[in-house]
Amino acid sequence: MNLQQLLRLPRYLGASGPPRRRWWSPSLDTISSVGSWRGQSSRSPAYWNQVVSEAEKIVGYPTSFMSLRCLLSDELSNIAMQVRKLVGTQHPLLTTARELVHDSRHNLQLRGLVVLLISKAAGPSSVNASCQNYDMVSGIYSCQRSLAEITELIHTALIVHRGIVNLNELQSSDGPLKDMQFGNKIAILSGDFLLANACNGLALLQNTKVVELLASALMDLVQGVYHENSTSAKENYITDDIGISTWKEQTFLSHGALLAKSCQAAMELAKHDAEVQDMAFRYGKHMAMSHKINSDLQPFIKEKTSDSMTFNLNSAPVVLHQEFLGRDLWIKQIREAQEKGILDYAKLQETIKAGKGVTSAIDLCRYHGNKALAALESFPPSEARSALENIVFAVTRFS
């Protein structure tokens, strides 16, 4: 029995949604500035899938299969057997497992794909021939492919760990306590297993600078998620009193550091100089930031939704809305959208749409997209570079 069979979960499990209380809260030509955003869509699934599929052909094979050696191991198969015991409960690990197996939006393998594309776009170093004896397939060194797999493993482990439920805030509607306790144990075990495999792979690369880069990325991730957790734990429906500059710093830690430093590490493995490494870092950073802002914008720009979408009150459009409005007026709007202590997200959503936060967030998304494209100018023209540019265009496409 393979992993997909073990984790083939009924679709009804996602109908009611997981508990909301989690230990970690649940990302060429210059891109033109935004005009009228209303009635426009962002990153249509068909267009996004086409961009990812074409990019995968360039690097040799679908990157979503890079982690199969880990995912099909006996250890994780045993964990998957335990996950099936959660079927019928409301633990969020079930939703996470289903999304890992059925990644219809091609988001999970994005980081590994970008690492492979930028490795191929840069090619071998022209000044250091020490890598010439390394195995190369489709213009990418085997060690760079291993790095892409490690990046995916770290990201997947973080997703699994984010599904840990805060047991101190459970309600009767969330189901039996023993189910949540068991689900938390499996989430911790499976996430740690993936991280252990990533660390083992890092050691096999035998490059101390790459190990240092990825270790610092892990540190950044933990620091960024810790801030998210401390904010979401307040449960007072009022965002932090922060400006967009502080938001960008915190978001880089939790969403941008891993991709940026993985891109830099890929250049280090090919013995490229500091300038090329810096350009790769810049592309990874700004592409990740643009991708995160795009995700934050989805509840505000989708034309039709089956039901009202909740959104993070510390997301980019909300932070920018608060910055334009002022703290006092923002708190007033929050309280006006509450009924008997429960926040009406649909009402607050319309209030935010009427302000400048959404249009400013679209501009910010495109600003980071432009920065990512500028970083690619130092790379020679190639199919891989064009694919990296197309990914940016897909993320910053709002029409």
Side-chain angles (χ1 to χ4, degrees):
M1 181 176 291
N2 60 30
L3 182 68
Q4 184 158 352
Q5 291 172 324
L6 289 170
L7 293 181
R8 188 165 292 152
L9 306 172
R11 293 190 177 276
Y12 71 83
L13 290 174
S16 59
R20 288 166 53 190
R21 293 157 298 285
R22 300 187 181 186
W23 186 250
W24 289 1
S25 61
S27 80
L28 298 168
D29 297 331
T30 301
I31 303 168
S32 61
S33 60
V34 65
S36 174
W37 62 270
R38 288 176 174 81
Q40 296 178 337
S41 60
S42 171
R43 207 181 73 186
S44 65
Y47 179 72
W48 177 250
N49 291 346
Q50 179 185 357
V51 169
V52 172
S53 297
E54 291 176 354
E56 288 179 336
K57 294 176 184 176
I58 293 171
V59 298
Y61 54 84
T63 53
S64 55
F65 291 102
M66 285 196 300
S67 303
L68 280 182
R69 291 198 308 274
C70 169
L71 293 178
L72 295 180
S73 66
D74 291 339
E75 291 90 344
L76 201 60
S77 293
N78 290 333
I79 292 175
M81 288 291 291
Q82 300 300 319
V83 170
R84 284 190 62 86
K85 295 179 181 179
L86 292 173
V87 172
T89 72
Q90 296 187 53
H91 199 283
L93 181 59
L94 287 170
T95 303
T96 302
R98 186 173 60 249
E99 289 173 352
L100 290 174
V101 176
H102 306 287
D103 183 25
S104 59
R105 296 183 180 180
H106 295 288
N107 283 330
L108 295 177
Q109 77 271 29
L110 176 64
R111 288 154 186 80
L113 177 60
V114 168
V115 171
L116 292 180
L117 286 171
I118 206 161
S119 298
K120 185 167 185 175
S125 174
S126 58
V127 296
N128 193 325
S130 61
C131 289
Q132 289 182 353
N133 295 327
Y134 291 177
D135 293 334
M136 179 178 279
V137 179
S138 298
I140 304 168
Y141 291 120
S142 58
C143 57
Q144 291 174 318
R145 291 189 182 274
S146 296
L147 175 66
E149 180 177 338
I150 289 166
T151 302
E152 279 195 10
L153 286 173
I154 293 173
H155 176 64
T156 304
L158 183 68
I159 291 175
V160 172
H161 278 160
R162 279 177 177 265
I164 299 173
V165 175
N166 189 342
L167 300 177
N168 292 327
E169 298 180 359
L170 287 179
Q171 297 179 358
S172 58
S173 59
D174 296 328
L177 175 62
K178 64 178 183 178
D179 290 341
M180 296 300 162
Q181 289 175 328
F182 180 75
N184 280 359
K185 291 177 182 179
I186 298 301
I188 294 170
L189 178 63
S190 52
D192 287 352
F193 172 79
L194 295 173
L195 282 177
N197 275 268
C199 292
N200 183 60
L202 271 178
L204 293 176
L205 292 178
Q206 297 182 343
N207 187 307
T208 54
K209 183 174 180 181
V210 170
V211 172
E212 181 182 355
L213 282 169
L214 271 293
S216 65
L218 268 173
M219 180 183 68
D220 292 340
L221 281 169
V222 172
Q223 184 178 346
V225 174
Y226 176 82
H227 173 79
E228 288 181 2
N229 178 50
S230 62
T231 300
S232 62
K234 295 176 183 178
E235 291 289 344
N236 59 2
Y237 297 114
I238 298 177
T239 55
D240 284 349
D241 187 12
I242 61 173
I244 194 63
S245 59
T246 303
W247 179 90
K248 288 167 69 173
E249 292 174 3
Q250 296 169 351
T251 300
F252 170 73
L253 293 177
S254 59
H255 292 84
L258 178 60
L259 182 58
K261 294 183 178 181
S262 293
C263 289
Q264 181 181 351
M267 301 300 98
E268 165 63 22
L269 288 172
K271 305 301 180 184
H272 285 287
D273 58 29
E275 182 180 356
V276 175
Q277 291 186 30
D278 183 60
M279 291 298 104
F281 177 92
R282 288 172 183 267
Y283 175 84
K285 171 186 176 180
H286 291 292
M287 208 292 292
M289 293 294 291
S290 186
H291 187 270
K292 175 61 170 65
I293 297 169
N294 181 293
S295 298
D296 285 355
L297 279 164
Q298 293 307 304
F300 301 95
I301 61 179
K302 283 191 174 181
E303 296 180 8
K304 295 181 180 179
T305 55
S306 56
D307 52 9
S308 60
M309 296 180 64
T310 59
F311 51 88
N312 192 328
L313 291 177
N314 284 303
S315 62
V318 180
V319 171
L320 286 164
H321 176 77
Q322 179 188 186
E323 198 170 66
F324 281 112
L325 197 64
R327 181 69 173 174
D328 293 338
L329 286 176
W330 168 236
I331 293 176
K332 181 181 178 182
Q333 287 184 350
I334 289 273
R335 289 171 177 164
E336 288 175 349
Q338 288 180 333
E339 293 182 8
K340 297 180 179 180
I342 300 176
L343 183 62
D344 185 345
Y345 278 92
K347 183 177 181 180
L348 186 61
Q349 188 180 67
E350 292 303 316
T351 301
I352 294 172
K353 283 182 179 181
K356 299 180 180 179
V358 175
T359 54
S360 297
I362 293 175
D363 280 335
L364 184 61
C365 180
R366 287 175 167 161
Y367 166 81
H368 284 289
N370 286 331
K371 288 288 187 179
L373 293 177
L376 290 176
E377 292 178 358
S378 60
F379 293 84
S382 65
E383 281 186 326
R385 171 178 158 175
S386 296
L388 290 168
E389 292 168 339
N390 288 338
I391 289 174
V392 175
F393 291 141
V395 170
T396 55
R397 183 183 182 185
F398 293 94
S399 60

